[in-house]
Amino acid sequence: MGAAFLNAPERTGAAPRPNRMTRPAAALLAVLLLAACAPQGPTPGTAAAPSRADLVPDAHDGPLTTTGTVLEDAGHGPQLCVGAVATSYPPQCGGPDVLGFSFDDVPAGVYEAAVDSRWGSFALTGVVERVGDRDVVRLTAPPRPTTEPLDPPLVAEFSVDFTTPCPAPAGGWTGPDPARASDDALGSAGALAPGVPGYTLLWIDEQAPGHRVLNVSTAGDLAAMESAVRQVWGGALCVSPAQRSEADLARVREEVEASVAPLVLDVQLDAKAGRVTATALLARESDQQRLDERYGPGVVRLSSVLRVPST
């Protein structure tokens, strides 16, 4: 079995931003949250969310750690790559400057060099500082070469379970009109479904060679979605409920990007999971709490590049 997308989950905000961090890291989410709504306290009787390793506790004011690629080229000194890394040679990426780092101080065998660029994977320990109009990472300990990834990872993986959630009908997944189950009909369904209110995601579940189930999830009326898709598609169809529409998630993503960029370095929309993920240079537990109060728990998952050192 396999799945194919007619509209794959979107990834955005991952372009390199090497020298454009223009707000203090301590005020990471203030602009978004103050502009979006009046301050709200937690719901009475609701327990605080458990600590997460990819968020910094508000009380922590010491050095922080991270693991990732450090790259320098003819245009800039060492920078910590955050977000997408172009798989060219040499690679291309961007992020905060790393002060106190020099490739001349690490063994040549632990990094690569080509076309006026040097890069490698390192574990870093340091603090966030304001230098001019930028936030940078200043090392408080020598960098350590490593091949181990950051745990938990910066960007949560997209949902990968694209099996059909509906029970198989009597007689199997055949559809009422197999003659209207062609590729052209599938394309028509892919163009029509996003226009139905509540639309979230569309994918194809290949049950077996030549046997595919068209899946559409919606936060709106299931019967209305099925009726609309059946106008053009006669093959096997599963219409399933979703927590949030693609339009609602796209609005949240745009608000996060517009209000806290560029300190939020990478933003993704995962319609299958019904959430937006955001990676920031420094994100504290209270930042996540305020996002939960603004959008609801789990709608935006915030992850910090810098973490509290493990003991």
Side-chain angles (χ1 to χ4, degrees):
M1 288 191 284
F5 286 108
L6 291 188
N7 56 339
E10 297 185 38
R11 178 184 177 92
T12 183
R17 293 168 173 162
N19 289 312
R20 297 179 57 199
M21 295 187 186
T22 59
R23 298 187 181 94
L28 173 65
L29 298 174
V31 174
L32 168 64
L33 299 165
L34 292 176
C37 63
Q40 299 179 19
T43 302
T46 300
S51 297
R52 283 172 31 202
D54 58 346
L55 293 173
V56 178
D58 290 17
H60 182 84
D61 60 359
L64 301 165
T65 64
T66 193
T67 299
T69 298
V70 177
L71 178 145
E72 71 173 13
D73 59 23
H76 61 75
Q79 292 183 344
L80 174 64
C81 296
V82 179
V85 177
T87 56
S88 54
Y89 194 85
Q92 300 178 53
C93 61
D97 292 337
V98 183
L99 304 186
F101 185 105
S102 173
F103 281 98
D104 295 334
D105 296 334
V106 297
V110 302
Y111 66 85
E112 297 184 70
V115 195
D116 297 324
S117 299
R118 292 187 287 185
W119 67 97
S121 180
F122 296 90
L124 307 177
T125 299
V127 295
V128 175
E129 289 188 357
R130 189 74 168 171
V131 176
D133 62 350
R134 296 174 292 123
D135 290 294
V136 303
V137 177
R138 183 178 295 277
L139 297 185
T140 58
R144 178 174 57 85
T146 183
T147 58
E148 296 181 3
L150 192 62
D151 183 29
L154 280 176
V155 179
E157 294 183 355
F158 286 123
S159 304
V160 294
D161 182 9
F162 288 99
T163 56
T164 297
C166 303
W173 291 105
T174 57
D177 186 2
R180 292 193 302 127
S182 64
D183 289 342
D184 287 344
L186 186 62
S188 297
L192 184 151
V196 180
Y199 168 83
T200 300
L201 188 66
L202 186 151
W203 73 96
I204 302 164
D205 181 6
E206 295 284 351
Q207 297 277 324
H211 294 80
R212 57 191 178 186
V213 180
L214 175 61
N215 280 263
V216 185
S217 62
T218 177
D221 184 86
L222 298 181
M225 178 63 76
E226 181 173 3
S227 176
V229 174
R230 279 297 182 210
Q231 296 177 27
V232 296
W233 174 252
L237 173 65
C238 169
V239 177
S240 58
Q243 290 183 306
R244 302 169 188 91
S245 70
E246 182 187 52
D248 285 342
L249 289 171
R251 173 185 57 80
V252 172
R253 179 195 60 193
E254 291 169 2
E255 289 181 7
V256 172
E257 288 180 319
S259 299
V260 298
L263 279 178
V264 166
L265 303 170
D266 184 77
V267 183
Q268 299 186 46
L269 185 157
D270 185 351
K272 183 67 166 60
R275 69 184 180 190
V276 171
T277 61
T279 300
L281 176 60
L282 174 58
R284 297 190 178 271
E285 291 176 343
S286 60
D287 296 327
Q288 180 66 70
Q289 181 181 358
R290 288 190 290 269
L291 282 171
D292 290 344
E293 292 170 356
R294 171 69 179 93
Y295 296 110
V299 179
V300 179
R301 182 178 177 89
L302 186 62
S303 182
S304 182
V305 174
L306 297 171
R307 314 280 177 81
V308 175
S310 59
T311 55

